[in-house]
Amino acid sequence: MQYSSEVQKMCPVAQGACHGAAPIPQEGGWTKAREIKDIKGLTHGVGWCAPQQGACKLTLNIKDGIIEEALIETIGCTGMTHSAAMASEILPGKTILEALNTDLVCDAINTAMRELFLQIVYGRSQSAFSEGGLPIGAGLEDLGKGLRSVCGTTYGTRVKGPRYLEVTEGYVLELALDGDDEIIGYKFVHLGRMMDAIKKGVEPAQALADATGTYGRFDQAVKKIDPRKE
């Protein structure tokens, strides 16, 4: 350790009260985190790239400072899908400090890791007050049946109005309009369920029919349109 001449000339003065680290809520307990291995919890973070062309939602499940589970969801940039595939290989098994200083290729994922790191080390995790935390696999359960990200896409113009393309329930097949041409419902197909059925040997047409549903007052429509063509 090197000290400047100014410091060397100083006389020592005893430090007063030192309370150490403030406790943070973690998995149903209060922890004074002094080392990386003291950190645990499941939480989510969102990041974006410099040109804001795409965004990433990152979910990590951390036990004793080690990333045991990572879920990476991306939107808006095709290159990010490849970065996400790499991140799912890179992150598990690393400490959160290693992950923070790992090049995850995509700015959006790097930013998400930064934001998530801050939440975790300050005790703002989703599982902060869940005794014992959440089991490994909890992140995957967020995707629900069919294991597809919840994604919504709507589009609108002043001259032609709104179009619902994809919503929480799934891919929108038709929009239901009333007599004033206002949207009152829609028909959708849950693509995850449809693909699961096809993989089990169900004929595609039947799988499509079984995974199709409606929302709102679809049956009361005066007119039904394909939002991608009409």
Side-chain angles (χ1 to χ4, degrees):
M1 187 74 68
Q2 292 184 332
Y3 299 95
S4 67
S5 59
E6 289 81 5
V7 172
Q8 291 180 32
K9 294 175 182 178
M10 291 178 180
C11 63
V13 176
Q15 288 182 268
C18 181
H19 301 292
I24 58 174
Q26 289 192 140
E27 299 192 344
W30 291 88
T31 307
K32 287 190 175 183
R34 296 182 177 88
E35 301 178 33
I36 289 296
K37 65 181 180 63
D38 295 328
I39 301 296
K40 60 188 70 174
L42 180 141
T43 197
H44 313 273
V46 176
W48 53 95
C49 60
Q52 301 187 27
Q53 181 180 352
C56 169
K57 177 189 173 188
L58 178 62
T59 301
L60 296 183
N61 199 348
I62 297 164
K63 303 292 185 184
D64 300 324
I66 304 293
I67 297 172
E68 297 287 351
E69 176 185 17
L71 171 66
I72 302 98
E73 301 172 84
T74 62
I75 188 170
C77 174
T78 53
M80 287 174 62
T81 58
H82 298 284
S83 300
M86 297 174 71
S88 66
E89 293 185 63
I90 293 169
L91 291 174
K94 281 186 167 54
T95 69
I96 55 170
L97 185 59
E98 287 177 309
L100 184 66
N101 289 287
T102 296
D103 182 8
L104 299 175
V105 184
C106 171
D107 281 347
I109 297 176
N110 284 325
T111 304
M113 184 63 230
R114 180 194 71 196
E115 297 300 310
L116 201 148
F117 179 89
L118 293 174
Q119 293 178 39
I120 285 286
V121 298
Y122 284 118
R124 269 60 168 189
S125 65
Q126 177 183 317
S127 57
F129 299 102
S130 302
E131 187 174 358
L134 297 177
I136 309 305
L140 197 62
E141 291 175 0
D142 276 357
L143 298 180
K145 293 182 179 179
L147 298 182
R148 296 189 79 243
S149 296
V150 176
C151 182
T153 308
T154 61
Y155 175 76
T157 60
R158 180 181 178 186
V159 66
K160 296 296 183 179
R163 298 292 188 277
Y164 297 174
L165 304 177
E166 186 145 0
V167 290
T168 301
E169 294 89 348
Y171 178 96
V172 177
L173 297 170
E174 289 183 301
L175 291 180
L177 308 182
D178 63 11
D180 296 322
D181 287 333
E182 293 184 356
I183 299 172
I184 59 173
Y186 49 82
K187 178 188 287 187
F188 63 87
V189 56
H190 194 298
L191 294 177
R193 293 176 186 168
M194 184 182 77
M195 292 307 300
D196 282 346
I198 291 174
K199 287 189 292 185
K200 292 177 181 177
V202 178
E203 288 296 318
Q206 184 60 48
L208 174 62
D210 293 342
T212 298
T214 62
Y215 179 84
R217 294 180 287 125
F218 185 81
D219 294 333
Q220 300 176 27
V222 172
K223 181 168 62 173
K224 299 172 183 177
I225 65 168
D226 181 336
R228 290 172 174 79
K229 296 182 179 179
E230 298 177 75

